[in-house]
Amino acid sequence: MSSAPKPDLVTVNVDGKDIAVPKGTNMIEAARLASVEVPHYCYHPKLTVSGNCRMCLVEMGMPAVDPATKAPVMDPATGKQKINWMPRPTIACATNASPGLHIRTNTPAVQECRNSVTEFLLINHPLDCPICDQAGECKLQEHSTAYGRGYSRFVEQKNVKPKRTQLGPRVTLDDERCILCSRCIRFSKEIAKDDVLGFIDRGSYSTLTCYPGRKLENNYSLNTVDICPVGALTSTDFRFKMRVWFLKQTPSIDPESSVGVNTEVWSREGQIYRITPRQNDAVNDTWMADSGRVLYKQVKSADRILAPSINGAATTPELALKAAGDLLKAFNGMLKAGAIAVVGSGRSSVEEQFLTKKLAEALKASPLLVSRVGQGDGILVSADRNPNVRGALVTGLITALPSQKLASLATDIDAGKVSTVISLGEDLTAAGLTAAQLAKVSLIYLGTHRNATSDAAKVVIPTLTIFEKSGAFVNQQFRLQKFAKAVPGPAEVADDLVTLGHLVAAAGGAVLATDLAGLWTTLSAEVKQLAGISYTKLPATGQVLDATAWSGLPFVEGATLHFKPAAVPAAVNA
């Protein structure tokens, strides 16, 4: 993978301090690099510049030169090149850094500009901060405190605009709060490629709405809520549910496809309230799909398996593990290789897949995996709907790409070659097996939710959702990314690593560490691509692994992302 070229740096001066920034950096970002905040609303680093909020006004100056000779004009008082300051403030978002650029961000003129802009924005803004979902995350609230006058001179009646407007199935608009920053409009047009939003009417009567006959219903609509700097756009699902300052944030990964979108899980007292994107410019920028935001509801869904069972009757975790272990011990060493089938999962973590491999080795089985293929959207949902097929390749659980149907397993069951099947979260009927075939084998099912396979299983052992455990996935870039436990699991559900470790030992395999730190010591020692990697020291943005071993495999992917991702190994594009 070739290294990125070094940026062309220029020196600019921010409030008297020289700093080197990449050429073309706008003044907001240049000031940020100098640890100086330039307040803004309409500007967003991932969107085009509109320059319509005027909050980022600053004073700008350039080194003076003689018009005729182009020679520097020196200031006799200081002995330095004189700076010609523009007669009026300029917007920082639309002015890019050039050599010698000078910026003043805190002069009386700039402060007066900010006071005036804030006053205009608040003229028709409702005083409903105590009930606004954006409270605690509101830039208008923050900037009004930091840069506003602190009092209002407005005595006229405020304009009344539409409230509780359903722009789409997931987004609710309170138009009285809208400050016309146009972030949502630009996102829909530029990132989601769904030009559905716009302003109508003029002046203080301007209103955000959808085009006639259209709705904001694309799979990325909730990103407009994330980037709304005020409380105008709100999530219908999260609306009035919880104050954000009460919530704990936990870094996680969206498991709906192989893109590996970085996310934040927001929870309180063991309950998840929302999921939002976490910035990783190499993977998902600052966006995520709406479909990934509702996955937390699986934690409390009605079909969740909360307790183990044997032959359909509830039992204790200890007895269920013993029953599963007895099934494995009864066959281990007494039947030919292949008598027990192990069906792993592309939804399991790297650590779980490694233990699944160890289980298959102890049982002399060739582990199987089931692929899930859907329509890639070309943005952040790929055609490969498993988050960790590449993890299975890296750990050696599989050596070839999986198919959607377990045709070979069905044939072996009908031929009497397989007498026991262990399924790790996979509904085998969805993978092509019939109820009659499941009835022919002793079935052990480890999973989170009920399905036809769990109903037919002799032993059912419940497992944890991604929100209740920690681990790692390998995404379509072969980027190893970790996720963390956000909420505790049900009382009678053990960690998946503990369960798998017990089954490996019961099958006659080695006793392995079942904590992340201990297991990663083994992983880094045994798996070539993971050598030298520690789970605890894995960067928040992940680490790209060597993918040359799989450069010839035809991975199913969605179309090219609309935004430009970081360079990835050649295997991804094979």
mmCIF file of all heavy atoms in Angstrom, residues 136-184:
data_model
loop_
_atom_site.group_PDB
_atom_site.id
_atom_site.type_symbol
_atom_site.label_atom_id
_atom_site.label_comp_id
_atom_site.label_asym_id
_atom_site.label_seq_id
_atom_site.Cartn_x
_atom_site.Cartn_y
_atom_site.Cartn_z
ATOM 1 N N GLY A 136 -27.956 20.014 25.214
ATOM 2 C CA GLY A 136 -26.748 19.262 25.544
ATOM 3 C C GLY A 136 -25.869 19.007 24.349
ATOM 4 O O GLY A 136 -24.688 18.681 24.492
ATOM 5 N N GLU A 137 -26.430 19.158 23.134
ATOM 6 C CA GLU A 137 -25.663 18.972 21.909
ATOM 7 C C GLU A 137 -25.855 20.152 20.953
ATOM 8 O O GLU A 137 -25.411 20.099 19.815
ATOM 9 C CB GLU A 137 -26.103 17.691 21.183
ATOM 10 C CG GLU A 137 -25.896 16.420 21.968
ATOM 11 C CD GLU A 137 -26.416 15.194 21.234
ATOM 12 O OE1 GLU A 137 -27.576 15.198 20.788
ATOM 13 O OE2 GLU A 137 -25.649 14.227 21.096
ATOM 14 N N CYS A 138 -26.525 21.195 21.412
ATOM 15 C CA CYS A 138 -26.962 22.287 20.550
ATOM 16 C C CYS A 138 -25.872 23.344 20.396
ATOM 17 O O CYS A 138 -25.451 23.961 21.377
ATOM 18 C CB CYS A 138 -28.233 22.916 21.112
ATOM 19 S SG CYS A 138 -28.862 24.294 20.123
ATOM 20 N N LYS A 139 -25.447 23.572 19.156
ATOM 21 C CA LYS A 139 -24.436 24.606 18.901
ATOM 22 C C LYS A 139 -25.010 26.003 19.097
ATOM 23 O O LYS A 139 -24.290 26.911 19.504
ATOM 24 C CB LYS A 139 -23.892 24.452 17.476
ATOM 25 C CG LYS A 139 -22.994 23.244 17.302
ATOM 26 C CD LYS A 139 -21.798 23.299 18.252
ATOM 27 C CE LYS A 139 -20.902 22.094 18.116
ATOM 28 N NZ LYS A 139 -19.782 22.133 19.097
ATOM 29 N N LEU A 140 -26.287 26.199 18.807
ATOM 30 C CA LEU A 140 -26.893 27.502 19.038
ATOM 31 C C LEU A 140 -26.906 27.825 20.527
ATOM 32 O O LEU A 140 -26.626 28.962 20.942
ATOM 33 C CB LEU A 140 -28.320 27.529 18.476
ATOM 34 C CG LEU A 140 -29.065 28.862 18.593
ATOM 35 C CD1 LEU A 140 -28.347 29.956 17.812
ATOM 36 C CD2 LEU A 140 -30.504 28.718 18.108
ATOM 37 N N GLN A 141 -27.208 26.833 21.326
ATOM 38 C CA GLN A 141 -27.196 27.002 22.782
ATOM 39 C C GLN A 141 -25.789 27.351 23.275
ATOM 40 O O GLN A 141 -25.590 28.281 24.067
ATOM 41 C CB GLN A 141 -27.688 25.701 23.422
ATOM 42 C CG GLN A 141 -28.160 25.803 24.860
ATOM 43 C CD GLN A 141 -28.696 24.456 25.338
ATOM 44 O OE1 GLN A 141 -27.978 23.454 25.330
ATOM 45 N NE2 GLN A 141 -29.959 24.425 25.742
ATOM 46 N N GLU A 142 -24.798 26.629 22.783
ATOM 47 C CA GLU A 142 -23.412 26.848 23.199
ATOM 48 C C GLU A 142 -22.888 28.199 22.722
ATOM 49 O O GLU A 142 -22.290 28.966 23.491
ATOM 50 C CB GLU A 142 -22.530 25.720 22.659
ATOM 51 C CG GLU A 142 -22.833 24.358 23.246
ATOM 52 C CD GLU A 142 -22.022 23.255 22.583
ATOM 53 O OE1 GLU A 142 -21.074 23.610 21.834
ATOM 54 O OE2 GLU A 142 -22.319 22.075 22.783
ATOM 55 N N HIS A 143 -23.103 28.501 21.439
ATOM 56 C CA HIS A 143 -22.567 29.741 20.895
ATOM 57 C C HIS A 143 -23.301 30.968 21.426
ATOM 58 O O HIS A 143 -22.708 32.050 21.538
ATOM 59 C CB HIS A 143 -22.630 29.717 19.366
ATOM 60 C CG HIS A 143 -21.718 28.710 18.740
ATOM 61 N ND1 HIS A 143 -20.653 28.161 19.415
ATOM 62 C CD2 HIS A 143 -21.704 28.147 17.491
ATOM 63 C CE1 HIS A 143 -20.018 27.312 18.617
ATOM 64 N NE2 HIS A 143 -20.638 27.288 17.451
ATOM 65 N N SER A 144 -24.595 30.821 21.741
ATOM 66 C CA SER A 144 -25.330 31.948 22.316
ATOM 67 C C SER A 144 -24.772 32.311 23.684
ATOM 68 O O SER A 144 -24.708 33.482 24.058
ATOM 69 C CB SER A 144 -26.819 31.597 22.447
ATOM 70 O OG SER A 144 -27.401 31.379 21.184
ATOM 71 N N THR A 145 -24.353 31.292 24.417
ATOM 72 C CA THR A 145 -23.746 31.533 25.730
ATOM 73 C C THR A 145 -22.344 32.111 25.605
ATOM 74 O O THR A 145 -21.968 33.045 26.320
ATOM 75 C CB THR A 145 -23.687 30.216 26.530
ATOM 76 O OG1 THR A 145 -25.003 29.687 26.673
ATOM 77 C CG2 THR A 145 -23.091 30.444 27.903
ATOM 78 N N ALA A 146 -21.576 31.584 24.655
ATOM 79 C CA ALA A 146 -20.178 31.994 24.529
ATOM 80 C C ALA A 146 -19.995 33.296 23.754
ATOM 81 O O ALA A 146 -19.087 34.075 24.045
ATOM 82 C CB ALA A 146 -19.377 30.885 23.847
ATOM 83 N N TYR A 147 -20.869 33.542 22.760
ATOM 84 C CA TYR A 147 -20.635 34.666 21.854
ATOM 85 C C TYR A 147 -21.811 35.638 21.758
ATOM 86 O O TYR A 147 -21.716 36.649 21.065
ATOM 87 C CB TYR A 147 -20.298 34.149 20.444
ATOM 88 C CG TYR A 147 -19.167 33.162 20.434
ATOM 89 C CD1 TYR A 147 -19.385 31.808 20.178
ATOM 90 C CD2 TYR A 147 -17.859 33.568 20.696
ATOM 91 C CE1 TYR A 147 -18.340 30.898 20.158
ATOM 92 C CE2 TYR A 147 -16.811 32.661 20.684
ATOM 93 C CZ TYR A 147 -17.054 31.327 20.418
ATOM 94 O OH TYR A 147 -16.021 30.427 20.415
ATOM 95 N N GLY A 148 -22.925 35.335 22.404
ATOM 96 C CA GLY A 148 -24.090 36.206 22.314
ATOM 97 C C GLY A 148 -24.042 37.354 23.312
ATOM 98 O O GLY A 148 -23.166 37.433 24.179
ATOM 99 N N ARG A 149 -25.026 38.262 23.212
ATOM 100 C CA ARG A 149 -25.074 39.415 24.108
ATOM 101 C C ARG A 149 -25.496 39.016 25.518
ATOM 102 O O ARG A 149 -25.163 39.691 26.484
ATOM 103 C CB ARG A 149 -26.066 40.453 23.569
ATOM 104 C CG ARG A 149 -25.706 41.012 22.207
ATOM 105 C CD ARG A 149 -26.683 42.107 21.779
ATOM 106 N NE ARG A 149 -26.461 42.482 20.386
ATOM 107 C CZ ARG A 149 -25.520 43.346 19.981
ATOM 108 N NH1 ARG A 149 -24.715 43.902 20.869
ATOM 109 N NH2 ARG A 149 -25.383 43.633 18.705
ATOM 110 N N GLY A 150 -26.257 37.939 25.627
ATOM 111 C CA GLY A 150 -26.740 37.539 26.946
ATOM 112 C C GLY A 150 -28.092 38.113 27.293
ATOM 113 O O GLY A 150 -28.637 37.850 28.363
ATOM 114 N N TYR A 151 -28.657 38.903 26.381
ATOM 115 C CA TYR A 151 -29.991 39.471 26.603
ATOM 116 C C TYR A 151 -30.616 39.736 25.244
ATOM 117 O O TYR A 151 -29.944 39.746 24.212
ATOM 118 C CB TYR A 151 -29.919 40.760 27.422
ATOM 119 C CG TYR A 151 -29.116 41.862 26.760
ATOM 120 C CD1 TYR A 151 -29.715 42.786 25.904
ATOM 121 C CD2 TYR A 151 -27.738 41.975 26.978
ATOM 122 C CE1 TYR A 151 -28.974 43.782 25.288
ATOM 123 C CE2 TYR A 151 -26.989 42.971 26.359
ATOM 124 C CZ TYR A 151 -27.612 43.873 25.513
ATOM 125 O OH TYR A 151 -26.877 44.860 24.904
ATOM 126 N N SER A 152 -31.922 39.949 25.207
ATOM 127 C CA SER A 152 -32.640 40.172 23.964
ATOM 128 C C SER A 152 -33.235 41.577 23.935
ATOM 129 O O SER A 152 -33.752 42.071 24.933
ATOM 130 C CB SER A 152 -33.762 39.138 23.800
ATOM 131 O OG SER A 152 -34.537 39.436 22.649
ATOM 132 N N ARG A 153 -33.145 42.217 22.768
ATOM 133 C CA ARG A 153 -33.764 43.525 22.570
ATOM 134 C C ARG A 153 -35.048 43.414 21.766
ATOM 135 O O ARG A 153 -35.680 44.418 21.440
ATOM 136 C CB ARG A 153 -32.785 44.450 21.849
ATOM 137 C CG ARG A 153 -31.494 44.714 22.616
ATOM 138 C CD ARG A 153 -30.588 45.644 21.837
ATOM 139 N NE ARG A 153 -30.077 45.021 20.629
ATOM 140 C CZ ARG A 153 -29.352 45.671 19.691
ATOM 141 N NH1 ARG A 153 -29.080 46.954 19.854
ATOM 142 N NH2 ARG A 153 -28.909 45.037 18.628
ATOM 143 N N PHE A 154 -35.440 42.187 21.413
ATOM 144 C CA PHE A 154 -36.594 41.970 20.540
ATOM 145 C C PHE A 154 -37.885 42.000 21.355
ATOM 146 O O PHE A 154 -38.027 41.254 22.335
ATOM 147 C CB PHE A 154 -36.437 40.621 19.835
ATOM 148 C CG PHE A 154 -37.437 40.370 18.747
ATOM 149 C CD1 PHE A 154 -37.355 41.067 17.555
ATOM 150 C CD2 PHE A 154 -38.452 39.451 18.905
ATOM 151 C CE1 PHE A 154 -38.268 40.839 16.532
ATOM 152 C CE2 PHE A 154 -39.372 39.216 17.903
ATOM 153 C CZ PHE A 154 -39.281 39.912 16.700
ATOM 154 N N VAL A 155 -38.819 42.843 20.980
ATOM 155 C CA VAL A 155 -40.088 42.967 21.718
ATOM 156 C C VAL A 155 -41.285 42.593 20.858
ATOM 157 O O VAL A 155 -42.405 42.492 21.363
ATOM 158 C CB VAL A 155 -40.266 44.405 22.259
ATOM 159 C CG1 VAL A 155 -39.183 44.734 23.276
ATOM 160 C CG2 VAL A 155 -40.267 45.421 21.109
ATOM 161 N N GLU A 156 -41.079 42.388 19.543
ATOM 162 C CA GLU A 156 -42.187 42.039 18.661
ATOM 163 C C GLU A 156 -42.575 40.569 18.815
ATOM 164 O O GLU A 156 -41.874 39.791 19.469
ATOM 165 C CB GLU A 156 -41.804 42.344 17.206
ATOM 166 C CG GLU A 156 -41.703 43.821 16.875
ATOM 167 C CD GLU A 156 -40.393 44.415 17.328
ATOM 168 O OE1 GLU A 156 -39.472 43.644 17.680
ATOM 169 O OE2 GLU A 156 -40.281 45.650 17.321
ATOM 170 N N GLN A 157 -43.678 40.193 18.167
ATOM 171 C CA GLN A 157 -44.141 38.805 18.176
ATOM 172 C C GLN A 157 -43.250 37.950 17.270
ATOM 173 O O GLN A 157 -42.896 38.357 16.164
ATOM 174 C CB GLN A 157 -45.587 38.719 17.686
ATOM 175 C CG GLN A 157 -46.622 39.243 18.681
ATOM 176 C CD GLN A 157 -46.713 38.363 19.898
ATOM 177 O OE1 GLN A 157 -46.333 38.757 20.999
ATOM 178 N NE2 GLN A 157 -47.204 37.167 19.719
ATOM 179 N N LYS A 158 -42.888 36.765 17.738
ATOM 180 C CA LYS A 158 -42.110 35.839 16.916
ATOM 181 C C LYS A 158 -42.986 35.222 15.833
ATOM 182 O O LYS A 158 -44.191 35.026 16.027
ATOM 183 C CB LYS A 158 -41.524 34.716 17.791
ATOM 184 C CG LYS A 158 -40.451 35.157 18.781
ATOM 185 C CD LYS A 158 -39.994 33.978 19.632
ATOM 186 C CE LYS A 158 -38.954 34.397 20.653
ATOM 187 N NZ LYS A 158 -37.635 34.622 20.040
ATOM 188 N N ASN A 159 -42.384 34.902 14.689
ATOM 189 C CA ASN A 159 -43.103 34.176 13.646
ATOM 190 C C ASN A 159 -43.373 32.748 14.107
ATOM 191 O O ASN A 159 -42.507 32.104 14.705
ATOM 192 C CB ASN A 159 -42.292 34.129 12.353
ATOM 193 C CG ASN A 159 -42.262 35.466 11.646
ATOM 194 O OD1 ASN A 159 -43.104 36.321 11.901
ATOM 195 N ND2 ASN A 159 -41.295 35.642 10.753
ATOM 196 N N VAL A 160 -44.548 32.261 13.831
ATOM 197 C CA VAL A 160 -44.905 30.884 14.177
ATOM 198 C C VAL A 160 -44.754 30.022 12.926
ATOM 199 O O VAL A 160 -45.312 30.336 11.875
ATOM 200 C CB VAL A 160 -46.345 30.793 14.717
ATOM 201 C CG1 VAL A 160 -46.705 29.337 15.004
ATOM 202 C CG2 VAL A 160 -46.493 31.640 15.970
ATOM 203 N N LYS A 161 -43.979 28.945 13.064
ATOM 204 C CA LYS A 161 -43.750 28.042 11.939
ATOM 205 C C LYS A 161 -44.237 26.640 12.284
ATOM 206 O O LYS A 161 -44.528 26.340 13.452
ATOM 207 C CB LYS A 161 -42.256 28.019 11.590
ATOM 208 C CG LYS A 161 -41.738 29.328 11.018
ATOM 209 C CD LYS A 161 -40.281 29.187 10.600
ATOM 210 C CE LYS A 161 -39.760 30.471 10.001
ATOM 211 N NZ LYS A 161 -38.343 30.342 9.578
ATOM 212 N N PRO A 162 -44.305 25.754 11.293
ATOM 213 C CA PRO A 162 -44.815 24.388 11.542
ATOM 214 C C PRO A 162 -43.992 23.638 12.580
ATOM 215 O O PRO A 162 -42.767 23.762 12.630
ATOM 216 C CB PRO A 162 -44.703 23.723 10.171
ATOM 217 C CG PRO A 162 -44.710 24.846 9.190
ATOM 218 C CD PRO A 162 -44.008 25.981 9.861
ATOM 219 N N LYS A 163 -44.659 22.873 13.418
ATOM 220 C CA LYS A 163 -44.002 22.019 14.413
ATOM 221 C C LYS A 163 -44.444 20.577 14.201
ATOM 222 O O LYS A 163 -45.522 20.305 13.664
ATOM 223 C CB LYS A 163 -44.349 22.470 15.841
ATOM 224 C CG LYS A 163 -43.808 23.850 16.200
ATOM 225 C CD LYS A 163 -44.069 24.190 17.656
ATOM 226 C CE LYS A 163 -43.179 23.436 18.613
ATOM 227 N NZ LYS A 163 -41.773 23.831 18.510
ATOM 228 N N ARG A 164 -43.581 19.638 14.651
ATOM 229 C CA ARG A 164 -43.893 18.200 14.584
ATOM 230 C C ARG A 164 -44.243 17.757 13.156
ATOM 231 O O ARG A 164 -45.144 16.966 12.943
ATOM 232 C CB ARG A 164 -45.007 17.834 15.559
ATOM 233 C CG ARG A 164 -44.653 18.075 17.014
ATOM 234 C CD ARG A 164 -45.807 17.764 17.937
ATOM 235 N NE ARG A 164 -46.919 18.680 17.736
ATOM 236 C CZ ARG A 164 -46.990 19.905 18.239
ATOM 237 N NH1 ARG A 164 -46.019 20.380 18.979
ATOM 238 N NH2 ARG A 164 -48.036 20.676 18.007
ATOM 239 N N THR A 165 -43.513 18.304 12.183
ATOM 240 C CA THR A 165 -43.723 17.928 10.784
ATOM 241 C C THR A 165 -42.947 16.652 10.479
ATOM 242 O O THR A 165 -41.745 16.574 10.724
ATOM 243 C CB THR A 165 -43.243 19.047 9.847
ATOM 244 O OG1 THR A 165 -43.970 20.234 10.139
ATOM 245 C CG2 THR A 165 -43.468 18.667 8.400
ATOM 246 N N GLN A 166 -43.620 15.662 9.937
ATOM 247 C CA GLN A 166 -42.974 14.410 9.562
ATOM 248 C C GLN A 166 -42.383 14.545 8.167
ATOM 249 O O GLN A 166 -43.080 14.460 7.168
ATOM 250 C CB GLN A 166 -43.984 13.251 9.615
ATOM 251 C CG GLN A 166 -44.504 12.932 10.999
ATOM 252 C CD GLN A 166 -43.415 12.415 11.921
ATOM 253 O OE1 GLN A 166 -42.544 11.664 11.510
ATOM 254 N NE2 GLN A 166 -43.468 12.824 13.181
ATOM 255 N N LEU A 167 -41.075 14.775 8.107
ATOM 256 C CA LEU A 167 -40.415 14.851 6.800
ATOM 257 C C LEU A 167 -40.304 13.479 6.153
ATOM 258 O O LEU A 167 -40.202 13.366 4.930
ATOM 259 C CB LEU A 167 -39.021 15.458 6.949
ATOM 260 C CG LEU A 167 -38.945 16.940 7.335
ATOM 261 C CD1 LEU A 167 -37.492 17.382 7.383
ATOM 262 C CD2 LEU A 167 -39.737 17.801 6.379
ATOM 263 N N GLY A 168 -40.285 12.454 6.980
ATOM 264 C CA GLY A 168 -40.175 11.078 6.505
ATOM 265 C C GLY A 168 -40.488 10.142 7.646
ATOM 266 O O GLY A 168 -40.872 10.584 8.743
ATOM 267 N N PRO A 169 -40.334 8.853 7.453
ATOM 268 C CA PRO A 169 -40.689 7.889 8.500
ATOM 269 C C PRO A 169 -39.821 7.961 9.746
ATOM 270 O O PRO A 169 -40.225 7.496 10.807
ATOM 271 C CB PRO A 169 -40.531 6.539 7.801
ATOM 272 C CG PRO A 169 -39.578 6.798 6.674
ATOM 273 C CD PRO A 169 -39.851 8.198 6.227
ATOM 274 N N ARG A 170 -38.637 8.588 9.653
ATOM 275 C CA ARG A 170 -37.722 8.569 10.800
ATOM 276 C C ARG A 170 -37.289 9.954 11.285
ATOM 277 O O ARG A 170 -36.624 10.058 12.312
ATOM 278 C CB ARG A 170 -36.457 7.754 10.441
ATOM 279 C CG ARG A 170 -36.745 6.279 10.205
ATOM 280 C CD ARG A 170 -35.525 5.536 9.690
ATOM 281 N NE ARG A 170 -35.158 5.939 8.345
ATOM 282 C CZ ARG A 170 -35.726 5.468 7.247
ATOM 283 N NH1 ARG A 170 -36.709 4.584 7.330
ATOM 284 N NH2 ARG A 170 -35.340 5.876 6.051
ATOM 285 N N VAL A 171 -37.681 11.000 10.570
ATOM 286 C CA VAL A 171 -37.223 12.351 10.907
ATOM 287 C C VAL A 171 -38.413 13.279 11.127
ATOM 288 O O VAL A 171 -39.305 13.363 10.284
ATOM 289 C CB VAL A 171 -36.313 12.924 9.801
ATOM 290 C CG1 VAL A 171 -35.867 14.341 10.159
ATOM 291 C CG2 VAL A 171 -35.101 12.025 9.592
ATOM 292 N N THR A 172 -38.396 13.984 12.271
ATOM 293 C CA THR A 172 -39.433 14.960 12.621
ATOM 294 C C THR A 172 -38.817 16.355 12.641
ATOM 295 O O THR A 172 -37.730 16.551 13.184
ATOM 296 C CB THR A 172 -40.039 14.645 13.994
ATOM 297 O OG1 THR A 172 -40.618 13.331 13.959
ATOM 298 C CG2 THR A 172 -41.130 15.646 14.361
ATOM 299 N N LEU A 173 -39.521 17.327 12.052
ATOM 300 C CA LEU A 173 -39.034 18.696 11.946
ATOM 301 C C LEU A 173 -39.821 19.634 12.851
ATOM 302 O O LEU A 173 -41.050 19.654 12.827
ATOM 303 C CB LEU A 173 -39.147 19.167 10.493
ATOM 304 C CG LEU A 173 -38.952 20.676 10.245
ATOM 305 C CD1 LEU A 173 -37.507 21.080 10.551
ATOM 306 C CD2 LEU A 173 -39.336 21.044 8.813
ATOM 307 N N ASP A 174 -39.099 20.426 13.651
ATOM 308 C CA ASP A 174 -39.659 21.588 14.359
ATOM 309 C C ASP A 174 -39.100 22.815 13.647
ATOM 310 O O ASP A 174 -37.983 23.263 13.932
ATOM 311 C CB ASP A 174 -39.246 21.579 15.836
ATOM 312 C CG ASP A 174 -40.159 20.711 16.678
ATOM 313 O OD1 ASP A 174 -41.373 20.786 16.472
ATOM 314 O OD2 ASP A 174 -39.641 19.958 17.525
ATOM 315 N N ASP A 175 -39.855 23.370 12.715
ATOM 316 C CA ASP A 175 -39.324 24.409 11.836
ATOM 317 C C ASP A 175 -39.040 25.715 12.564
ATOM 318 O O ASP A 175 -38.237 26.533 12.097
ATOM 319 C CB ASP A 175 -40.297 24.664 10.685
ATOM 320 C CG ASP A 175 -39.549 24.934 9.384
ATOM 321 O OD1 ASP A 175 -38.623 25.753 9.419
ATOM 322 O OD2 ASP A 175 -39.869 24.313 8.366
ATOM 323 N N GLU A 176 -39.672 25.929 13.702
ATOM 324 C CA GLU A 176 -39.396 27.150 14.455
ATOM 325 C C GLU A 176 -37.937 27.220 14.910
ATOM 326 O O GLU A 176 -37.393 28.305 15.126
ATOM 327 C CB GLU A 176 -40.308 27.229 15.685
ATOM 328 C CG GLU A 176 -41.768 27.527 15.351
ATOM 329 C CD GLU A 176 -42.621 27.604 16.597
ATOM 330 O OE1 GLU A 176 -42.154 27.143 17.652
ATOM 331 O OE2 GLU A 176 -43.741 28.116 16.521
ATOM 332 N N ARG A 177 -37.308 26.058 15.069
ATOM 333 C CA ARG A 177 -35.934 26.009 15.542
ATOM 334 C C ARG A 177 -34.918 26.104 14.413
ATOM 335 O O ARG A 177 -33.724 26.268 14.656
ATOM 336 C CB ARG A 177 -35.682 24.713 16.313
ATOM 337 C CG ARG A 177 -36.594 24.509 17.517
ATOM 338 C CD ARG A 177 -36.392 23.115 18.072
ATOM 339 N NE ARG A 177 -37.293 22.817 19.190
ATOM 340 C CZ ARG A 177 -37.525 21.591 19.641
ATOM 341 N NH1 ARG A 177 -36.923 20.548 19.071
ATOM 342 N NH2 ARG A 177 -38.348 21.392 20.646
ATOM 343 N N CYS A 178 -35.356 25.953 13.178
ATOM 344 C CA CYS A 178 -34.430 25.904 12.041
ATOM 345 C C CYS A 178 -33.735 27.251 11.851
ATOM 346 O O CYS A 178 -34.384 28.310 11.858
ATOM 347 C CB CYS A 178 -35.188 25.518 10.781
ATOM 348 S SG CYS A 178 -34.147 25.398 9.309
ATOM 349 N N ILE A 179 -32.423 27.246 11.671
ATOM 350 C CA ILE A 179 -31.661 28.475 11.442
ATOM 351 C C ILE A 179 -31.194 28.575 9.985
ATOM 352 O O ILE A 179 -30.321 29.381 9.660
ATOM 353 C CB ILE A 179 -30.460 28.570 12.396
ATOM 354 C CG1 ILE A 179 -29.488 27.405 12.177
ATOM 355 C CG2 ILE A 179 -30.924 28.640 13.846
ATOM 356 C CD1 ILE A 179 -28.177 27.556 12.929
ATOM 357 N N LEU A 180 -31.757 27.742 9.110
ATOM 358 C CA LEU A 180 -31.515 27.813 7.663
ATOM 359 C C LEU A 180 -30.038 27.612 7.309
ATOM 360 O O LEU A 180 -29.499 28.257 6.418
ATOM 361 C CB LEU A 180 -31.998 29.160 7.108
ATOM 362 C CG LEU A 180 -33.457 29.530 7.427
ATOM 363 C CD1 LEU A 180 -33.774 30.907 6.873
ATOM 364 C CD2 LEU A 180 -34.414 28.492 6.864
ATOM 365 N N CYS A 181 -29.393 26.682 8.000
ATOM 366 C CA CYS A 181 -27.978 26.429 7.721
ATOM 367 C C CYS A 181 -27.782 25.622 6.443
ATOM 368 O O CYS A 181 -26.702 25.630 5.864
ATOM 369 C CB CYS A 181 -27.327 25.707 8.898
ATOM 370 S SG CYS A 181 -27.815 23.972 9.066
ATOM 371 N N SER A 182 -28.796 24.881 6.015
ATOM 372 C CA SER A 182 -28.812 24.071 4.785
ATOM 373 C C SER A 182 -27.917 22.831 4.844
ATOM 374 O O SER A 182 -27.676 22.184 3.822
ATOM 375 C CB SER A 182 -28.447 24.900 3.551
ATOM 376 O OG SER A 182 -27.059 25.139 3.437
ATOM 377 N N ARG A 183 -27.424 22.460 6.008
ATOM 378 C CA ARG A 183 -26.611 21.240 6.098
ATOM 379 C C ARG A 183 -27.391 20.025 5.609
ATOM 380 O O ARG A 183 -26.869 19.171 4.877
ATOM 381 C CB ARG A 183 -26.161 21.009 7.539
ATOM 382 C CG ARG A 183 -24.990 21.832 8.006
ATOM 383 C CD ARG A 183 -24.588 21.410 9.403
ATOM 384 N NE ARG A 183 -23.396 22.075 9.890
ATOM 385 C CZ ARG A 183 -22.783 21.762 11.020
ATOM 386 N NH1 ARG A 183 -23.255 20.770 11.782
ATOM 387 N NH2 ARG A 183 -21.699 22.407 11.401
ATOM 388 N N CYS A 184 -28.641 19.907 6.050
ATOM 389 C CA CYS A 184 -29.457 18.739 5.687
ATOM 390 C C CYS A 184 -29.697 18.676 4.186
ATOM 391 O O CYS A 184 -29.709 17.589 3.582
ATOM 392 C CB CYS A 184 -30.780 18.766 6.446
ATOM 393 S SG CYS A 184 -31.736 20.292 6.218
#
